[in-house]
């Protein structure tokens, strides 16, 4: 512990408040608000508004998000090998909001195509473009933090700040999307999602370009990447068995967090047959997520000392609540909301706490290889996260299709579809939480903690 205090003292004043805020509000601000709306409402928009069959919508999500996962390692290698007068990771923050705003807006535009195949092709192309843009900025965004900051304390503080911003915009996106899009519809817009995305884009421009400006000269803790075939760098990381539990944990966290939001609209609309309660229920989840990130996560980190322990405790509590809700969630709506709120408070922080494992992995590879692999490791985490997203986005629709789900048939779903809705909402996140706990608790990387502290002390002294 004394050694870690030495690390924190050496680098205490190296980053500005502006850098912290722009790092927190770039990927987690306007961009995350777009992601929140897309994650919770786009699948329903495809099946119920565009009238794309659930099986075809599932195929769209599978192909797009699988490709999104595959290109993450490519982007990580590209980011690590970027050489420019602006730095290694900073240039990507210039182009991110431009492409992001374009694709996030275009996926909501209904051109009135008569052919289902044409609709599918258009949505697929635009959704792939959106996903590739997210990949383009996500890898550099994750990689620049350990490149600029050596102290675990400061890293965790910035991660917590970003988590709070993320939770806030998710609350807005999930609770008020219907009100916001409805407002735009009432003032003459054919599709309220389009102006909503454009407004999100304005915030994305401010935060990403702010991060570009405030990160100038901050990429201090880097060494030249190894020359050779790009796949060699990925293999150099994945050859260590210590990395694999973290990779699995990232997949499970992505699935657990994604299902919490992506299944909720379907759950209330069809399992409860109360579409009028969707804004209330989404608000319960979003406010719970906000409290989780802003209030409870810092408390968990302080009480349990490390991100790993905080993650374990929060997941264990969430699983207990999910099991209760699986068997008794339809007993009473107030009961459902209360337990859902508590579970959101404990479960939501997983999406931020797993980022601690990214920094741990970066430090571990630096210890073992003496080389910076920030971008590659961030991309591997991104790949794992996108694999989780692929399973969630396409898996939900695939399971519903197999179960006999009927789009628009409120109160008339078959029993098989009702069971599937309940399982997707509470059963599946329980399973992902159990696997996540096993991976983190049994991680072989933990035994290198003291050696990593020594390494960071020496780096801080240079």
């Amino acid at each position: 512990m004394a050694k870690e205090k030495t690390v924190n003292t050496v680098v205490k004043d190296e980053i500005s408040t502006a850098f912290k805020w722009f790092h927190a509000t770039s990927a987690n601000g306007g961009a995350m608000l777009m992601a929140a709306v897309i994650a919770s409402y786009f699948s329903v928009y495809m099946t119920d508004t565009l009238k794309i069959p659930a099986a075809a919508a599932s195929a769209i999500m599978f192909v797009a998000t699988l490709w999104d996962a595959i290109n993450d390692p490519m982007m990580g290698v590209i980011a690590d090998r970027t050489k420019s007068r602006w730095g290694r990771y900073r240039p990507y923050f210039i182009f991110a909001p431009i492409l992001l705003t374009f694709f996030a807006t275009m996926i909501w535009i209904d051109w009135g195509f008569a052919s289902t195949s044409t609709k599918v092709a258009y949505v697929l192309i635009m959704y792939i473009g959106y996903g590739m843009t997210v990949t383009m900025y996500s890898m550099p965004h994750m990689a620049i933090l350990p490149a600029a900051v050596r102290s675990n304390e400061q890293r965790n503080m910035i991660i917590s700040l970003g988590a709070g911003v993320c939770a806030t915009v998710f609350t807005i996106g999930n609770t008020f999307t219907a009100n916001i899009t409805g407002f735009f519809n009432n003032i003459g817009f054919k599709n309220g999602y389009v102006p909503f995305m454009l407004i999100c884009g304005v915030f994305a421009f401010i935060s990403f370009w702010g991060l570009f400006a405030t990160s100038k000269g901050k990429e201090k803790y880097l060494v030249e990447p190894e020359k050779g075939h790009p796949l060699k760098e990925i293999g150099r990381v994945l050859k260590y068995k210590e990395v694999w539990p973290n990779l699995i944990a990232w997949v499970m966290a992505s699935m657990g967090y994604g299902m919490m939001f992506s299944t909720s609209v379907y759950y209330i609309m069809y399992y409860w047959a109360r579409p009028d309660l969707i804004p209330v229920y989404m608000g319960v989840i979003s406010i719970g997520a906000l409290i989780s990130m802003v209030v409870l996560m810092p408390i968990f980190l302080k009480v349990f000392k490390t991100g790993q322990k905080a993650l374990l405790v929060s997941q264990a509590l969430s699983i207990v609540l999910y099991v209760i809700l699986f068997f008794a969630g339809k007993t009473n709506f107030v009961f459902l909301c209360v337990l859902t709120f508590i579970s959101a408070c404990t479960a939501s922080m997983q999406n931020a706490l797993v980022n601690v494992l990214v920094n741990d992995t970066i430090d571990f590879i630096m210890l073992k290889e003496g080389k910076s692999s920030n971008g590659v490791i961030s991309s591997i985490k991104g790949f794992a996260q996108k694999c989780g997203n692929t399973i969630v986005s396409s898996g939900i629709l695939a399971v519903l299709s197999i179960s006999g789900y009927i789009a628009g048939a409120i109160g008339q779903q078959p029993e098989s579809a009702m069971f599937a809705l309940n399982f997707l909402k509470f059963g599946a996140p329980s399973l992902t939480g159990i696997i996540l706990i096993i991976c983190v608790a049994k991680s072989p990387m933990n035994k290198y903690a003291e050696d990593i502290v020594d390494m960071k002390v020496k780096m801080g002294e240079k």
Side-chain angles (χ1 to χ4, degrees):
M1 183 64 79
K3 292 179 179 178
E4 182 60 29
K5 288 181 179 179
T6 302
V7 177
N8 293 336
T9 300
V10 171
V11 295
K12 183 177 180 181
D13 299 319
E14 67 182 26
I15 48 177
S16 66
T17 300
F19 172 83
K20 297 174 187 177
W21 276 102
F22 283 123
H23 190 278
T25 58
S26 48
N28 295 304
M32 188 58 69
L33 184 53
M34 293 176 181
V37 176
I38 292 170
S40 295
Y41 294 94
F42 190 59
S43 291
V44 179
Y45 177 77
M46 283 194 291
T47 58
D48 292 15
T49 301
L50 296 180
K51 302 301 180 183
I52 296 175
S58 173
I60 289 173
M61 303 305 281
F62 178 79
V63 172
T65 52
L66 181 61
W67 167 243
D68 197 18
I70 292 172
N71 64 48
D72 270 22
M74 301 179 191
M75 184 62 218
V77 172
I78 293 171
D80 274 344
R81 296 185 175 203
T82 296
K83 293 183 179 180
S84 76
R85 62 191 181 93
W86 297 301
R88 186 179 298 186
Y89 304 120
R90 294 175 65 238
Y92 299 98
F93 305 143
I94 298 175
F95 305 104
I98 302 171
L99 295 173
L100 185 68
T101 303
F102 173 77
F103 287 113
T105 301
M106 294 301 287
I107 63 172
W108 296 102
I109 295 180
D110 181 3
W111 297 100
F113 298 125
S115 169
T116 298
S117 59
T118 304
K119 291 180 185 178
V120 169
Y122 172 78
V123 172
L124 178 62
I125 292 170
M126 292 300 138
Y127 197 78
I128 286 177
Y130 168 76
M132 291 184 69
T133 303
V134 174
T135 297
M136 183 192 73
Y137 70 73
S138 294
M139 303 307 103
H141 181 265
M142 284 189 285
I144 201 169
L145 180 57
V149 183
R150 287 287 90 185
S151 163
N152 282 341
E153 181 182 344
Q154 289 191 79
R155 288 178 182 176
N156 290 345
M157 181 271 295
I158 295 172
I159 290 173
S160 296
L161 183 62
V165 175
C166 176
T168 301
V169 299
F170 250 94
T171 301
I172 296 171
N174 286 295
T175 307
F176 301 109
T177 290
N179 304 88
I180 295 171
T181 56
F183 168 77
F184 286 121
N185 289 336
N186 291 334
I187 62 173
F189 287 91
K190 183 178 179 181
N191 185 340
Y193 287 104
V194 173
F196 191 12
M197 292 297 102
L198 293 174
I199 292 173
C200 293
V202 172
F203 290 109
F205 272 94
I206 295 171
S207 57
F208 274 108
W209 288 358
L211 179 59
F212 172 79
T214 57
S215 59
K216 183 178 181 180
K218 295 292 191 299
E219 299 174 331
K220 298 178 180 179
Y221 301 103
L222 294 170
V223 296
E224 286 298 313
E226 184 176 348
K227 296 181 179 180
H229 196 281
L231 292 178
K232 186 177 180 181
E233 290 194 48
I234 298 173
R236 181 163 54 85
V237 174
L238 295 180
K239 72 180 180 182
Y240 292 99
K241 67 180 187 299
E242 291 86 353
V243 173
W244 284 88
N246 286 354
L247 192 151
I248 297 171
W250 293 328
V251 174
M252 295 300 107
S254 175
M255 290 179 63
Y257 189 77
M259 283 185 287
M260 181 170 60
F261 289 98
S262 298
T263 60
S264 297
V265 173
Y266 282 110
Y267 180 78
I268 297 298
M269 181 176 290
Y270 296 111
Y271 190 74
W272 272 79
R274 292 292 304 272
D276 57 305
L277 295 177
I278 290 174
V280 176
Y281 191 66
M282 296 303 288
V284 167
I285 296 174
S286 300
I287 294 172
L290 177 63
I291 292 174
S292 176
M293 301 287 197
V294 177
V295 179
L296 293 181
M297 182 175 157
I299 293 174
F300 271 53
L301 286 170
K302 184 175 182 179
V303 172
F304 299 108
K305 307 301 182 184
T306 68
Q308 292 87 341
K309 289 181 180 179
L311 184 58
L312 291 172
V313 174
S314 64
Q315 282 299 290
L317 294 172
S318 301
I319 292 169
V320 173
L321 293 165
Y322 284 149
V323 171
I324 295 172
L325 286 166
F326 178 77
F327 290 104
K330 207 173 181 182
T331 304
N332 176 275
F333 187 69
V334 174
F335 174 80
L336 171 70
C337 288
V338 170
L339 263 66
T340 297
F341 173 77
I342 299 172
S343 67
C345 287
T346 56
S348 299
M349 66 180 76
Q350 69 180 303
N351 199 43
L353 288 173
V354 290
N355 288 328
V356 173
L357 304 181
V358 177
N359 296 326
D360 291 345
T361 306
I362 288 171
D363 290 338
F364 172 77
I365 295 301
M366 178 71 79
L367 175 70
K368 289 293 185 179
E369 297 285 329
K371 299 180 184 297
S372 299
S373 298
N374 300 34
V376 169
I377 293 169
S378 296
S379 72
I380 291 172
K381 190 266 183 179
F383 171 79
Q385 181 178 0
K386 301 294 176 58
C387 284
N389 290 343
T390 301
I391 296 170
V392 170
S393 59
S394 62
I396 290 172
L397 292 167
V399 169
L400 290 178
S401 179
I402 294 170
S403 70
Y405 159 79
I406 305 170
I410 299 172
Q412 300 175 6
Q413 296 292 336
E415 285 300 318
S416 55
M418 296 291 279
F419 176 83
L421 289 165
N422 193 31
F423 175 78
L424 288 169
K425 178 60 184 164
F426 298 119
S430 299
L431 297 178
T432 61
I434 290 171
I435 298 172
L436 176 58
I437 287 174
I438 293 172
C439 289
V440 175
K442 300 295 182 181
S443 175
M445 199 176 290
N446 296 334
K447 65 182 180 180
Y448 295 95
E450 291 189 6
D451 294 332
I452 289 173
V453 169
D454 286 335
M455 176 193 71
K456 291 195 289 185
V457 169
K458 293 176 182 177
M459 292 183 71
E461 291 173 348
K462 290 181 180 181

